[in-house]
Amino acid sequence: MLSKMLLGRYIPGSSVIHHLDPRAKIVCVVLFMIIVFFANHWTGYLLLILFVVSITKMAGLSLIFLFNGLKLILILLVFTFMMHLFFTKGGIVLIDATLFTIESAGVVQGVYITIRLAMLILITTVLTLTTSSVSLTDAIERLCRPLKTLRLPVHEIAMMMSISLRFIPTLMDETEKIIKAQSARGSTFMTGSLKSRMNALTPVFIPLFISAFKRAEELAVAMEVRGYQGEAGRTSYRVLDWQYKDTLAIITVIIFGVFLFMIRQ
Amino acid sequence: MIEFKNLTFKYRAADENALDHISLSLKQGQWTSVIGHNGSGKSTLVKILMGVLTSYEGEIVVGGETLTEENLLSLRKNFAIVFQNPDNQFVGSTVEDDVAFGLENNGVEREEMVERVEAALDTVNMLDFRTHEPSRLSGGQKQRVAIAGALVMNPDVLILDEATSMLDPKGKREVLESLKRIHGMKETTIIYITHDLAEIDISDYAVVMKDGQVISQGDVEDIYKDIDALESSRLVLPFTMAMSKALSDGSYMSYDELVARL
């Protein structure tokens, strides 16, 4: 299951979304993060879903593939929904039990916030699935270039982000291997109380951390011997080429945002 | 030529020297295998050569120039290294991005970069995989990408630090085939670190290490003949060597001699 996780993965392809300038994609995602908050009733949320599904299709990614890869995130979504279900009050009382009450506002708010969160996760996943980590580094670096005047190490931060993304699938694979190895030696992760399950994870986390530090050290050595010394004197294999379609993509997202804002109730 | 003169190194927390007065000469264009058990000091030797470990005693001379902190970066441009685990060496999210990483760091112009990346991937037969994700390749393919990443720098010296030890027989064969081709084409000096005696066949020269010391060095056949030294260095004898030892009076028999005897 962990090995199917999409977080941090890049799926090479030749779709329109793949071919957009990574800077345009990042700007679009940032705009989308703002636009998501414009939706405040079911029409807006429906449009948000349609928009994200269209983008996913344009990226040549199947929704089933995305769903399978984001199964673990469902826990977060269910948790968000439950929080609103039990703690947001207002409207008609739907269930009145001794320990809790569920009111209609809680259900509506739970659904809305969960959709909002799900769309944000999906759109950022589409960004990382269609943009290589090297391109992301370049784009973040270029977009944040003005911050260099404040002496922020923009290149180093972008490189760290890119490597973190690149290592997520590797560490997921590692976690799965450790879980299998510990299971084979009698550890159980799916039974018992919450406390005993948490305790059972200790023998997973310790080797995982040791391995992560070892990998980090080996990667640092490998980068050093391949001549990496930070930004100074570096050239780029990937050429960022802003085209008409990139401007068009941003305009489309802005128009969508304005429309969503106008239909607010 | 690379010369290690009386090289001694000790890790900070260790009681004993990891390298103990090592003296070696490696000729240009030669394929040298450095063989030894785990902890014998073979990886430490190349890490010092690459400047990853410092604070050693003795001298390293590369092409007539003594390695110092001042000239380390310029001399290191002539070296490239491939480590044991390819997964821990990849920076790029596609094969070509990763191979280009070293060139980017050295400020190579893009047009030249494209040509060199293509040539390096072609040499290791991985050109068709240029847009693939490195993490999704097989072990042998991953290691060939790592070799391409080293090769693209046009190094005079290519160092492989147990680069085949995590591979299955097929992956190992793929990598060794690529290395043979590279060695044949460019006469690159290869330093091949291994603990598998069966892998030193293809080298021109071999160095056997034990507990931080060189206990034997010479042509591969001479090394094979010194079975006692090999056994004392806690190395596992390949099947043919063990067989030849059992069938003879303990002396070395070549593969053909062994077959004839059998």
Side-chain angles (χ1 to χ4, degrees):
Chain A
M1 186 176 175
L2 288 173
S3 59
K4 284 184 185 163
M5 268 196 75
L6 298 176
L7 208 60
R9 271 194 68 190
Y10 166 61
I11 312 279
S14 55
S15 72
V16 185
I17 307 293
H18 278 89
H19 284 145
L20 281 179
D21 189 295
R23 290 168 294 182
K25 283 192 257 188
I26 291 174
V27 170
C28 287
V29 167
V30 171
L31 286 173
F32 184 82
M33 285 174 175
I34 299 164
I35 287 167
V36 150
F37 292 95
F38 294 167
N40 66 346
H41 64 108
W42 69 268
T43 327
Y45 283 101
L46 193 65
L47 285 171
L48 272 182
I49 294 172
L50 284 174
F51 182 80
V52 173
V53 169
S54 312
I55 298 290
T56 310
K57 287 284 163 199
M58 283 167 75
L61 302 165
S62 93
L63 283 170
I64 297 166
F65 172 72
L66 280 180
F67 180 77
N68 282 335
L70 294 171
K71 266 183 190 166
L72 279 179
I73 307 287
L74 275 180
I75 299 166
L76 178 70
L77 296 179
V78 170
F79 179 73
T80 309
F81 179 71
M82 290 299 181
M83 292 298 280
H84 283 281
L85 197 66
F86 293 119
F87 297 109
T88 305
K89 301 295 172 197
I92 309 157
V93 176
L94 299 172
I95 297 171
D96 192 3
T98 323
L99 291 172
F100 63 88
T101 55
I102 295 175
E103 296 175 16
S104 60
V107 177
V108 173
Q109 196 67 3
V111 171
Y112 284 174
I113 301 295
T114 307
I115 292 175
R116 203 180 271 177
L117 194 59
M119 294 307 110
L120 280 173
I121 292 167
L122 277 176
I123 209 80
T124 45
T125 307
V126 171
L127 169 73
T128 54
L129 286 176
T130 59
T131 319
S132 74
S133 60
V134 176
S135 300
L136 271 179
T137 313
D138 285 350
I140 294 168
E141 201 178 330
R142 298 278 184 91
L143 289 169
C144 297
R145 197 169 272 175
L147 296 175
K148 278 186 188 171
T149 50
L150 301 172
R151 295 196 174 176
L152 266 176
V154 174
H155 167 79
E156 283 74 10
I157 291 171
M159 181 59 91
M160 278 192 283
M161 284 172 68
S162 148
I163 289 174
S164 309
L165 276 174
R166 140 79 186 91
F167 267 87
I168 289 172
T170 311
L171 290 178
M172 288 297 168
D173 287 346
E174 186 87 12
T175 311
E176 195 162 6
K177 274 184 205 161
I178 297 170
I179 288 177
K180 278 181 185 164
Q182 304 292 30
S183 301
R185 293 159 71 187
S187 292
T188 50
F189 303 99
M190 298 300 171
T191 54
S193 65
L194 187 65
K195 194 184 170 192
S196 65
R197 287 192 212 185
M198 297 279 278
N199 284 339
L201 283 174
T202 311
V204 174
F205 285 128
I206 292 172
L208 185 66
F209 273 97
I210 292 170
S211 145
F213 283 121
K214 199 175 163 216
R215 280 178 192 278
E217 194 182 342
E218 283 185 20
L219 179 72
V221 171
M223 286 172 74
E224 196 187 332
V225 296
R226 290 172 81 183
Y228 182 73
Q229 289 175 72
E231 190 188 4
R234 271 193 113 229
T235 47
S236 184
Y237 181 70
R238 297 245 170 207
V239 176
L240 297 183
D241 183 20
W242 191 275
Q243 291 178 352
Y244 170 71
K245 63 183 178 189
D246 301 308
T247 314
L248 192 67
I250 291 177
I251 291 171
T252 309
V253 176
I254 291 171
I255 291 171
F256 176 68
V258 170
F259 182 69
L260 217 57
F261 190 78
M262 284 170 70
I263 63 161
R264 274 168 70 92
Q265 287 176 357
Chain B
M1 181 182 279
I2 304 164
E3 286 177 275
F4 298 92
K5 294 182 178 174
N6 217 15
L7 198 68
T8 298
F9 178 82
K10 188 174 172 181
Y11 287 101
R12 207 173 289 167
D15 295 328
E16 301 200 353
N17 288 336
L19 293 179
D20 196 8
H21 300 94
I22 297 268
S23 291
L24 272 178
S25 288
L26 309 179
K27 285 182 194 154
Q28 180 66 36
Q30 184 174 263
W31 181 321
T32 305
S33 290
V34 180
I35 187 157
H37 60 86
N38 285 340
S40 60
K42 51 196 193 303
S43 291
T44 305
L45 187 73
V46 290
K47 280 183 182 159
I48 290 175
L49 182 62
M50 293 301 293
V52 176
L53 296 174
T54 50
S55 314
Y56 55 88
E57 285 171 29
E59 192 183 0
I60 300 174
V61 181
V62 180
E65 204 176 333
T66 301
L67 194 69
T68 61
E69 272 184 43
E70 287 72 34
N71 64 15
L72 174 69
L73 287 179
S74 64
L75 284 180
R76 196 160 67 186
K77 284 185 180 171
N78 303 318
F79 298 102
I81 186 164
V82 178
F83 293 103
Q84 188 178 29
N85 189 350
D87 277 323
N88 297 349
Q89 298 168 64
F90 294 137
V91 181
S93 44
T94 64
V95 165
E96 58 183 345
D97 280 330
D98 191 75
V99 173
F101 180 72
L103 297 176
E104 291 178 320
N105 295 334
N106 282 283
V108 175
E109 291 303 322
R110 190 178 180 274
E111 290 72 27
E112 189 186 337
M113 235 191 277
V114 173
E115 282 172 24
R116 284 170 66 173
V117 167
E118 210 170 288
L121 284 173
D122 193 30
T123 309
V124 295
N125 283 337
M126 286 297 289
L127 196 52
D128 293 340
F129 295 84
R130 60 190 303 167
T131 57
H132 287 231
E133 260 184 293
S135 59
R136 304 275 145 186
L137 300 173
S138 72
Q141 289 171 332
K142 281 179 188 177
Q143 204 55 294
R144 282 191 282 153
V145 172
I147 291 171
L151 210 59
V152 77
M153 307 304 293
N154 288 337
D156 293 330
V157 183
L158 179 61
I159 303 165
L160 296 114
D161 189 1
E162 305 220 23
T164 57
S165 63
M166 288 178 76
L167 303 181
D168 57 20
K170 184 174 174 273
K172 209 173 260 194
R173 204 166 45 244
E174 286 172 2
V175 169
L176 288 174
E177 286 301 324
S178 295
L179 287 174
K180 267 194 243 176
R181 198 164 44 250
I182 294 159
H183 188 56
M185 274 164 55
K186 300 184 180 177
E187 291 200 351
T188 309
T189 305
I190 293 181
I191 302 176
Y192 189 81
I193 309 288
T194 181
H195 59 257
D196 187 354
L197 262 173
E199 284 183 0
I200 69 170
D201 273 3
I202 37 177
S203 44
D204 307 311
Y205 196 78
V207 176
V208 184
M209 290 186 71
K210 181 190 169 190
D211 300 331
Q213 289 177 327
V214 173
I215 58 161
S216 177
Q217 59 178 305
D219 294 339
V220 175
E221 200 155 311
D222 296 335
I223 295 294
Y224 278 157
K225 282 175 185 168
D226 198 359
I227 293 181
D228 291 338
L230 293 175
E231 282 190 322
S232 76
S233 62
R234 303 200 287 276
L235 290 166
V236 179
L237 296 184
F239 177 74
T240 48
M241 198 178 276
M243 177 78 94
S244 94
K245 192 188 171 202
L247 287 174
S248 67
D249 54 356
S251 61
Y252 170 76
M253 274 194 288
S254 69
Y255 180 81
D256 292 333
E257 284 169 340
L258 180 62
V259 170
R261 175 76 179 267
L262 286 170

